[in-house]
């Protein structure tokens, strides 16, 4: 289903959720409320409908932002699966701003939004690692040891870094607190004990 069709479908679902066509919701322009066919009672109902619309729209946006349809049954980005973990060419990835790091496009876009929002909040977040090639995964095991054996590296070919959906971040105490409170809004979760710097895009 293309983007236009998805939007049309979501709008229809929103109309169903709020109990009528979107055009009947009240609107305020320049501080003056528009008239309602039902007078005062209609205005109150329209205001309620407007609130319902806002809630439904927020739900729709969150649902539409999910990338689950872009992943295969194993949760791997469908457009990258053909390359194999750690063998994704640079051309298939998106650069994250001017950081020099690259991720799967949806993850990269979400991370850029996250970094921009954090910056507006006065929080500085750096990136220390992103996509990791198979060779880099092997090297990391040699230097850090396998996570399953008390080290810090995933078995080569199994790391989410190899699918370009994970980042290691440079976080001070304030930035870490901010991430804990806000990262899930952008689809990122900290899913690995002992690695508070490691965040995976799972939206």
């Amino acid at each position: 289903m293309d983007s236009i069709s998805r939007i049309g479908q979501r709008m229809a679902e929103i109309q169903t959720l709020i109990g009528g066509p979107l055009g009947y919701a009240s609107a305020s322009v320049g501080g003056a409320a528009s008239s309602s066919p039902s007078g005062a009672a209609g205005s109150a109902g329209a205001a309620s409908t407007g609130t319902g619309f806002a809630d439904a729209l927020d739900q729709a946006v969150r649902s539409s932002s999910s990338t689950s349809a872009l992943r295969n049954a194993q949760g791997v980005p469908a457009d990258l699966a053909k390359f194999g973990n750690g063998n994704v060419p640079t051309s298939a990835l998106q650069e994250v701003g001017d950081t020099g790091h690259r991720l799967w496009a949806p993850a990269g876009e979400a991370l850029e939004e996250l970094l921009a929002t954090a910056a507006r909040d006065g929080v500085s977040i750096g990136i220390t690692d992103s996509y990791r090639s198979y060779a880099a995964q092997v090297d990391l095991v040699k230097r850090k040891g396998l996570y399953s054996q008390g080290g810090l590296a995933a078995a080569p070919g199994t790391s989410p870094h190899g699918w370009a959906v994970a980042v290691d971040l440079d976080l001070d105490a304030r930035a870490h607190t901010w991430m804990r409170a806000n990262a899930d809004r952008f689809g990122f979760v900290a899913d690995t004990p002992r690695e508070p710097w490691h965040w995976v895009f799972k939206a």
Side-chain angles (χ1 to χ4, degrees):
M1 183 183 295
D2 61 29
S3 298
I4 299 300
S5 297
R6 281 198 298 270
I7 291 171
Q9 181 180 11
R10 293 304 297 160
M11 293 300 285
E13 291 172 0
I14 291 170
Q15 288 181 3
T16 300
L17 285 171
I18 65 175
L22 298 182
Y24 289 123
S26 65
S28 176
V29 180
S34 62
S35 61
S36 168
S38 304
S43 296
S48 175
T49 299
T51 302
F53 171 72
D55 292 340
L57 181 59
D58 180 65
Q59 179 183 350
V61 169
R62 289 177 182 276
S63 175
S64 297
S65 66
S66 172
T67 61
S68 59
L70 304 178
R71 299 175 187 254
N72 63 21
Q74 290 71 46
V76 172
D79 55 335
L80 304 184
K82 62 185 177 183
F83 301 114
N85 186 295
N87 294 305
V88 181
T90 299
S91 59
L93 301 175
Q94 174 175 307
E95 187 165 355
V96 181
D98 59 359
T99 65
H101 289 275
R102 290 180 178 271
L103 290 172
W104 179 44
E109 291 167 3
L111 184 58
E112 286 186 6
E113 289 184 34
L114 182 154
L115 295 175
T117 303
R120 286 194 295 272
D121 289 345
V123 175
S124 178
I125 296 175
I127 305 174
T128 60
D129 203 3
S130 51
Y131 170 69
R132 191 177 293 158
S133 69
Y134 187 87
Q137 293 179 52
V138 171
D139 178 66
L140 192 64
V141 169
K142 292 178 181 177
R143 293 187 291 108
K144 303 285 188 178
L146 285 171
Y147 189 90
S148 60
Q149 298 174 4
L152 293 174
T158 68
S159 172
H161 284 282
W163 290 122
V165 295
V167 287
D168 291 345
L169 301 176
D170 182 10
L171 305 168
D172 60 18
R174 184 183 179 199
H176 189 261
T177 298
W178 189 95
M179 285 292 293
R180 288 288 184 187
N182 297 284
D184 63 336
R185 291 166 44 203
F186 303 90
F188 286 90
V189 298
D191 69 347
T192 308
R194 296 192 283 115
E195 295 188 7
W197 57 83
H198 177 81
W199 296 80
V200 180
F201 182 70
K202 293 195 173 182

